[in-house]
Structure formats: structure tokens, C-alpha cells
Amino acid sequence: MLPDYHFHSDFSGDSNTPMRSQIEQAILLGMDSLCVTDHHDYDVDSPIDFTLDPDLYYQTMSGLREEYKDRIDLRIGIELGLQPHLTQYYSGLLKRYDFDYVIGSTHFINQKDAAYPEFFEGKREEEAYLQYFKATLENVRMKDAYDAAGHMDYIVRYGPNKAAFYSYGAYQDIIDEILKTVIENGNGIELNTAGYRKGIGQPNPSKDIIKRYRELGGEIITVGSDAHIPEDLGADFKTAKELLKHCGFSYYTEFRKRKPEFKPL
């Protein structure tokens, strides 16, 4: 079983799952390692509190890593909801804690959560998607604030028509610019399997984007379920493994102390 490099516990505002439950599930599934990536969306206006207590989080995860060291290699990550005006904040945060892995995701745009219908109000679907990709491009330029760009076309999970009229080709110019920026900066992307569970029938980003990433020379790619409950941990990872092979990868990526480790598929 591939290790899960994107999942959440009750440290995230949208999960009630104790961290021990996620760790035990990973062991049950046969994972050798695991990387927790709880949410930290700082300076946003949301009905859900997506901010993290970094001190408590890192202290708790360090204790669990020691407790479980003979059963699983627990690595400590974080999912940052990126916003360009927070560059200095991210720099300070990431200097204070010795994270293994940092996901940089685009969740909020102009204080609006892209997962809520309000984000789409007054816009055609394609306008909303393009706005999301433009924000993502700005975010991935902050190369030191993340290791891999999270669920790159995440917006498609929540659009009025989801993926029915969506394709890589429709947004190719800006998506290619995002991918080239990620590669030039020495960062990576993730293959996030939650799209299969969210009714779009594909991962985030889509297969065509992952294939294009490889064609452009992209090498760093992690695999994550985006699980908020134990039942979703490692979900659709067999499909993800075959998709990576189809897209030209012979390996996936793990991280330790923010350095990529390439593992054969």
C-alpha cells in the first residue's frame, strides 16, 4: 500500500477523527509510512475555523511519532491554504517547525471559499474555474512556502456541473504555466484521489494534467486521499498507482525534512 500523504484529523476544522484512529487505520492497511497534513488556512473568513494551533499540533504529532515508531514511520506535514499576502507569515511558520512535508493548496480567493456555492455566484462556471487557476498560479510562485501543490484543479469538485464540461484542454495555457512554474521552482504536485469520491470520476488534478506534468519534466509527485475519516484513508490508491504508470511515472515521492525521496511504484 502506498503511503498516504494527504489526510486530516481533528486538528483540522472539518474533521472529527482522532489522529490515533487514522494511524491505526494506516497500519491495518499495511502502510509503512504516513504523513499527516492537517489544515492551516490563516487569515480567512469562514464559518469553519481552519486555523491550526501549530505548537500543540507539532508537539502532539512528535509524541505520536515516537509512540508509533516501531509500527509505522509517521511524518509530520501540514496543508497550508496559500495566499500571496502571507509570504512572510509562511516563512516564519516554516522556520519554527521541522515539518517533513508541506502541501500548498488554493482554497480561498478574495476571502471566498471555492468549495461553497457563494464563490460561483454571478460567474459563469468557466469564469470561476479560470479565476481559480489564476489564483493557483500566483500561489505556486511562492516556491519556499510549499513542497507540492495540492489538488491542483480542486475547484472542479464544487462547480455547478463539476467535471461535465471541464477539460485540461480548455485551460491549457494557464495550467501549463502553473506546471512550468512548479517544475522550475523545484516543487512538485500531488495526485489527490478524493475526486473519485466527490462525484467527478477523476483525481485532482485530472489524468491529462498529470500526464502533461510528466511531459514537461515534472518528477516530484505524492499520493494523497484527502481523507477526513479512517474509511477514506488510502482510498483508490490502486487506481492511482496504475494512473501514475500510465502517465509515465515509474516512482512516486515521499518527503522527509522537506526533501523528496523517490520510491519505485
Side-chain angles (χ1 to χ4, degrees):
M1 171 64 86
L2 297 175
D4 202 325
Y5 263 64
H6 189 154
F7 76 95
H8 302 280
S9 75
D10 53 11
F11 273 97
S12 290
D14 56 354
S15 175
N16 295 315
T17 302
M19 176 51 63
R20 290 178 187 278
S21 297
Q22 297 285 40
I23 297 172
E24 292 290 343
Q25 178 71 0
I27 294 170
L28 183 65
L29 290 170
M31 294 183 190
D32 294 325
S33 67
L34 182 70
C35 188
V36 57
T37 54
D38 273 313
H39 283 296
H40 188 43
D41 283 73
Y42 184 74
D43 191 27
V44 298
D45 181 15
S46 172
I48 298 174
D49 184 2
F50 283 113
T51 57
L52 195 64
D53 180 337
D55 286 336
L56 180 60
Y57 176 68
Y58 195 84
Q59 180 182 4
T60 301
M61 295 308 154
S62 296
L64 288 169
R65 178 167 58 187
E66 177 66 20
E67 179 182 338
Y68 279 92
K69 66 181 181 181
D70 295 329
R71 301 178 66 194
I72 194 167
D73 181 1
L74 180 64
R75 302 186 192 182
I76 305 173
I78 191 170
E79 183 182 13
L80 295 179
L82 297 180
Q83 299 183 81
H85 72 281
L86 294 175
T87 301
Q88 291 301 116
Y89 173 77
Y90 302 139
S91 178
L93 178 74
L94 298 178
K95 284 177 182 175
R96 286 198 304 275
Y97 304 98
D98 192 18
F99 288 115
D100 288 301
Y101 175 55
V102 181
I103 301 174
S105 296
T106 301
H107 294 138
F108 287 81
I109 303 169
N110 298 328
Q111 291 292 311
K112 289 188 177 181
D113 191 334
Y116 282 77
E118 289 78 9
F119 178 74
F120 295 88
E121 288 179 357
K123 306 183 188 84
R124 289 181 291 114
E125 185 175 74
E126 57 266 35
E127 290 175 335
Y129 286 6
L130 184 58
Q131 183 182 7
Y132 182 85
F133 286 127
K134 287 180 177 179
T136 299
L137 177 58
E138 289 300 309
N139 288 336
V140 299
R141 287 173 173 154
M142 296 183 284
K143 65 177 183 177
D144 296 327
Y146 71 102
D147 299 313
H151 45 52
M152 214 181 76
D153 55 7
Y154 160 93
I155 186 70
V156 180
R157 296 182 196 171
Y158 305 102
N161 298 291
K162 295 187 180 289
F165 306 108
Y166 164 74
S167 68
Y168 155 67
Y171 304 91
Q172 180 173 350
D173 288 348
I174 191 163
I175 290 174
D176 279 2
E177 194 170 352
I178 293 168
L179 295 175
K180 289 174 183 177
T181 300
V182 167
I183 293 166
E184 289 168 4
N185 287 342
N187 299 120
I189 67 171
E190 73 158 348
L191 190 169
N192 186 302
T193 64
Y196 293 116
R197 309 191 305 276
K198 299 289 186 179
I200 63 173
Q202 59 191 38
N204 300 110
S206 67
K207 179 181 71 174
D208 289 343
I209 295 176
I210 295 171
K211 185 176 181 181
R212 180 61 172 155
Y213 173 67
R214 188 71 191 104
E215 290 171 351
L216 290 169
E219 296 183 334
I220 298 171
I221 189 160
T222 59
V223 182
S225 66
D226 216 337
H228 291 68
I229 57 175
E231 291 80 2
D232 289 339
L233 199 76
D236 297 296
F237 272 26
K238 288 183 180 179
T239 300
K241 184 175 182 178
E242 292 308 310
L243 188 148
L244 283 176
K245 291 179 179 178
H246 176 79
C247 292
F249 287 90
S250 58
Y251 52 83
Y252 68 95
T253 314
E254 298 180 20
F255 275 84
R256 191 187 300 275
K257 296 187 180 296
R258 302 195 65 191
K259 301 295 184 184
E261 300 175 341
F262 298 99
K263 306 285 185 175
L265 287 167

